[in-house]
């Protein structure tokens, strides 16, 4: 298998590169469901209370594997966060019998188990593994790629990958696609931030938006379908540092891998 270093960029949205055309194509894309999902909230699961601050929607329709894996207590959730105290979603999944791993570099100990199904790991999931020369100085390097963590934990598959990583999501998503790790994931629930390009994403504004759009199209090529979009109106209404396009700076997007029946 050949290693991919770059994602395929989609053609420009217009004959000459234009932020207006790129932005309208991208915003239309993230606002349009590609597949309908009848059951998206966790209220039907035991132990769930409606106090989550954000709608982390998962697809619980019978035609996909998640609801069956929850019922048989075989589901696994990885949650990537950065010092976020809203863990209602994780608790509800753990209460319904899912094995939940929360990764957050601000956690006080390396690994903490809370209850039968919930683990906290002092780890930051990144789009690259640490440089061994630098990591040697820090005996416990706290940054790893998701593929590396899966291998170390002996996990072949994740039913849900939830990420709220404050603009690192674009490069993490790119890494998951380039290394085919995304195929080991049943559903993705990502908070995406569009008020600035994101960590290590470079280029002018229209180039950045084309890159974002191309990443999401790659997910589609891998048989992921967007089924839920939440536009966060409590966040500043900014798009690449401009008050433009009637966009929020933050959207929560949910995809289901339609190969996982």
């Amino acid at each position: 298998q050949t290693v991919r270093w770059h994602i395929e960029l989609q053609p420009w949205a217009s004959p000459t590169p234009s932020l207006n055309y790129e932005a309208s194509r991208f915003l239309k894309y993230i606002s349009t469901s590609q597949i309908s999902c009848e059951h998206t909230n966790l209220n039907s699961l035991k132990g769930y209370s409606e106090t989550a601050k954000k709608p982390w929607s998962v697809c619980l329709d019978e035609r996909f594997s998640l609801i069956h894996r929850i019922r048989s207590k075989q589901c696994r959730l990885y949650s990537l966060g950065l010092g976020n105290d809203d863990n209602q979603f994780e608790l509800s999944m753990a209460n319904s019998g899912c094995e939940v791993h929360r990764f957050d570099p601000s956690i006080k100990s390396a690994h903490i188990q809370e209850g039968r199904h919930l683990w906290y790991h002092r780890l930051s999931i990144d789009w690259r593994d640490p440089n061994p020369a630098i990591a040697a100085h820090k005996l416990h390097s706290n940054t790893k790629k998701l593929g590396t963590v899966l291998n170390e934990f002996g996990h072949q598959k994740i039913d849900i990958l939830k990420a709220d990583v404050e603009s690192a999501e674009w490069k993490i998503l790119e890494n998951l696609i380039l290394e085919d790790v995304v195929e080991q994931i049943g559903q993705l629930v990502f908070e995406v931030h569009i008020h600035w390009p994101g960590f290590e994403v470079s280029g002018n504004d229209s180039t950045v938006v084309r890159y974002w759009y191309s990443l999401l199209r790659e997910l589609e090529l891998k048989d992921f379908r967007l089924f839920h979009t939440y536009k966060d109106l409590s966040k500043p209404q900014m798009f690449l540092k401009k008050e433009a396009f009637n966009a929020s700076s933050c959207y929560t997007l949910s995809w289901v891998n339609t190969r996982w029946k």
Side-chain angles (χ1 to χ4, degrees):
Q1 185 178 341
T2 56
V3 175
R4 292 175 67 195
W5 297 101
H6 304 285
I7 61 156
E8 293 288 321
L9 288 175
Q10 292 291 319
W12 290 100
S14 53
T16 52
S18 139
L19 177 59
N20 280 349
Y21 278 100
E22 294 304 320
S24 75
R25 174 172 72 171
F26 172 76
L27 289 167
K28 182 181 178 194
Y29 191 82
I30 65 170
S31 305
T32 309
S33 293
Q34 298 167 335
I35 195 169
S36 70
C37 185
E38 300 290 312
H39 308 283
T40 60
N41 72 25
L42 295 170
N43 292 350
S44 53
L45 303 178
K46 69 177 171 61
Y48 190 71
S49 57
E50 259 299 346
T51 53
K53 299 188 181 103
K54 289 195 188 108
W56 301 103
S57 291
V58 291
C59 188
L60 299 168
D61 284 9
E62 296 284 338
R63 61 190 163 136
F64 298 119
S65 65
L66 179 60
I67 188 64
H68 306 287
R69 291 174 67 81
I70 290 173
R71 285 182 191 137
S72 62
K73 307 280 192 261
Q74 289 183 307
C75 71
R76 180 179 293 132
L77 162 69
Y78 272 31
S79 167
L80 319 182
L82 292 171
N84 192 330
D85 59 353
D86 178 17
N87 62 353
Q88 187 62 45
F89 179 77
E90 289 79 358
L91 290 171
S92 64
M93 294 305 289
N95 286 341
S96 59
C98 286
E99 176 188 331
V100 176
H101 297 272
R102 177 149 173 108
F103 299 88
D104 186 331
S106 69
I107 288 164
K108 292 182 178 56
S109 307
H111 303 284
I112 303 170
Q113 183 172 358
E114 273 194 13
R116 266 180 63 196
H117 302 291
L118 181 59
W119 286 264
Y120 291 93
H121 308 280
R122 188 176 59 205
L123 265 178
S124 171
I125 302 298
D126 202 357
W127 54 93
R128 63 209 150 183
D129 282 326
N131 178 326
I134 299 167
H137 296 295
K138 290 168 36 180
L139 283 171
H140 307 290
S141 182
N142 285 354
T143 302
K144 290 178 179 171
K145 293 190 293 193
L146 187 67
T148 304
V149 172
L150 282 169
N151 288 337
E152 288 181 1
F153 285 20
H155 294 162
Q156 299 297 315
K157 292 189 166 181
I158 310 170
D159 293 283
I160 307 164
L161 177 65
K162 173 200 167 199
D164 180 2
V165 288
E166 307 302 338
S167 301
E169 65 274 358
W170 299 110
K171 292 298 284 185
I172 289 173
L173 197 53
E174 180 187 64
N175 168 255
L176 298 181
I177 291 166
L178 291 177
E179 297 193 354
D180 290 329
V181 176
V182 77
E183 289 163 15
Q184 296 171 255
I185 301 168
Q187 299 193 23
L188 293 169
V189 191
F190 269 54
E191 189 168 279
V192 301
H193 302 84
I194 61 178
H195 57 292
W196 70 292
F199 293 107
E200 292 194 20
V201 177
S202 58
N204 63 22
D205 286 355
S206 53
T207 304
V208 166
V209 183
R210 179 195 186 199
Y211 163 76
W212 289 344
Y213 174 72
S214 301
L215 268 179
L216 301 187
R217 286 300 303 273
E218 287 259 357
L219 277 181
E220 197 180 333
L221 292 171
K222 301 261 188 193
D223 293 314
F224 279 82
R225 297 291 179 267
L226 187 67
F227 65 86
H228 189 265
T229 303
Y230 170 70
K231 178 180 180 179
D232 192 342
L233 295 174
S234 70
K235 295 281 175 75
Q237 305 302 291
M238 300 289 284
F239 187 94
L240 292 176
K241 302 183 180 168
K242 303 174 185 65
E243 290 184 18
F245 309 113
N246 191 27
S248 169
S249 59
C250 179
Y251 291 76
T252 306
L253 306 176
S254 300
W255 292 267
V256 60
N257 181 343
T258 56
R259 283 186 205 175
W260 281 42
K261 296 296 187 191

